[in-house]
Amino acid sequence: MEGIHIQKTFPVQLPVNAEEPVLTLSREGPLFILHWHLKDNRFNPVSCKALLDALQIVENIYVTADEPQPMALITIGNGKIFSNGLELVYAAQYPPFMDMYLAVLKKMLTFCIPTIAALNGHAFAGGCLFAFAHDYRVMRADRGFLCMNEVEFAAPLAPGMSAILQYKLTPTVFRDMVLRAHRFSAKEALEKNMVDQIVPENEVLSAAKALGEKLAPLAQSGSIAYKQLKDQMYTDIVKHLGTPYNRLAPRL
């Protein structure tokens, strides 16, 4: 298809030709594995663009195939951190940044194939939201917390961010996460249906791959309906995520 880039070789590092790549996108059969490299895996303009570019590579392969293919996407962090959230200097001083971050959440939430967050460690604030934007979550059992700690540094949530949590969590968990900045351990997260599995550290990726292998056929059988079903499930969230952040800022 003219003008559409179809990635043929893997792994690919993003940003392309960067001295310090943000992430690597690999492929193992039907599974695409998105591995963040940085210490805290914080969201900034460079990492947001790298994530969107990676997702576009996968989507292009899926939508241009002659026949629907079994596929699933896994995201994993580095060391003891999945993601520590946003680099707040950009949120405060670079107005386009928040729209970039909201675009990442929207793209992941409604992605065209099954998605799994392999939580190798802490997922805080914007990193926690990113984890909840995936369809499924596999969490390290012995270390790491899910936490929305914005109340501790006077940071409001945009409506789309709040809507993701409100949809994915029970009312009590939503309250404790947002208004108390409670740090949910893996055991708590599993008990409260915030994650789908908890496993030892050295099994996080393998468990996510096993789940991905089970889910990948749904991208084939569901074809374009898989994304359409997500769009229908998350209609209100998508609407909120699509509201430009600069319009919200005076009210937040």
Side-chain angles (χ1 to χ4, degrees):
M1 192 177 297
E2 188 175 351
I4 304 298
H5 173 67
I6 308 301
Q7 185 72 32
K8 300 293 187 181
T9 59
F10 293 89
V12 57
Q13 293 186 322
L14 297 166
V16 176
N17 298 324
E19 291 185 8
E20 186 180 20
V22 172
L23 54 86
T24 297
L25 178 64
S26 304
R27 184 171 189 179
E28 298 179 14
L31 304 181
F32 291 84
I33 301 167
L34 196 55
H35 186 181
W36 287 19
H37 296 305
L38 303 183
K39 180 180 178 182
D40 285 344
N41 291 327
R42 290 187 182 272
F43 290 89
N44 57 43
V46 173
S47 63
C48 284
K49 185 178 186 306
L51 284 164
L52 290 170
D53 287 347
L55 294 176
Q56 196 60 57
I57 288 171
V58 177
E59 184 174 28
N60 285 354
I61 292 171
Y62 181 67
V63 301
T64 61
D66 293 335
E67 298 290 338
Q69 300 295 313
M71 292 170 57
L73 175 74
I74 297 167
T75 307
I76 189 166
N78 194 44
K80 65 179 183 180
I81 303 293
F82 177 74
S83 172
N84 260 343
L86 312 185
E87 288 193 31
L88 294 179
V89 64
Y90 293 103
Q93 299 180 18
Y94 184 59
F97 168 63
M98 285 304 299
D99 287 339
M100 296 176 69
Y101 173 68
L102 294 177
V104 170
L105 294 181
K106 179 181 175 182
K107 187 76 171 179
M108 184 61 77
L109 185 72
T110 61
F111 201 52
C112 55
I113 63 175
T115 58
I116 304 162
L119 302 175
N120 55 287
H122 302 302
F124 271 62
C128 182
L129 274 166
F130 183 61
F132 281 121
H134 291 69
D135 299 328
Y136 303 89
R137 284 156 293 284
V138 176
M139 189 173 181
R140 174 178 172 178
D142 63 309
R143 184 171 186 171
F145 295 106
L146 293 177
C147 179
M148 293 294 297
N149 60 332
E150 281 78 359
V151 71
E152 296 178 335
F153 52 93
L157 295 175
M161 298 160 74
S162 183
I164 290 174
L165 297 174
Q166 198 163 9
Y167 186 95
K168 300 272 185 165
L169 305 173
T170 66
T172 300
V173 174
F174 179 48
R175 178 200 65 194
D176 290 346
M177 175 162 266
V178 173
L179 297 182
R180 295 181 58 193
H182 182 74
R183 298 184 178 196
F184 290 88
S185 67
K187 182 175 182 294
E188 288 178 297
L190 184 64
E191 290 172 349
K192 298 181 184 302
N193 297 314
M194 302 164 74
V195 300
D196 299 278
Q197 288 179 254
I198 59 173
V199 296
E201 175 189 6
N202 62 352
E203 296 178 19
V204 171
L205 184 56
S206 60
K209 287 180 181 180
L211 179 58
E213 292 278 1
K214 292 180 181 178
L215 297 170
L218 295 172
Q220 182 177 37
S221 63
S223 186
I224 60 172
Y226 194 84
K227 175 172 169 50
Q228 292 172 339
L229 290 167
K230 287 189 186 181
D231 289 339
Q232 293 160 359
M233 286 175 64
Y234 302 129
T235 298
D236 290 339
I237 303 175
V238 168
K239 180 177 68 175
H240 289 309
L241 288 171
T243 302
Y245 190 80
N246 61 354
R247 297 181 189 172
L248 302 167
R251 303 201 301 272
L252 295 180

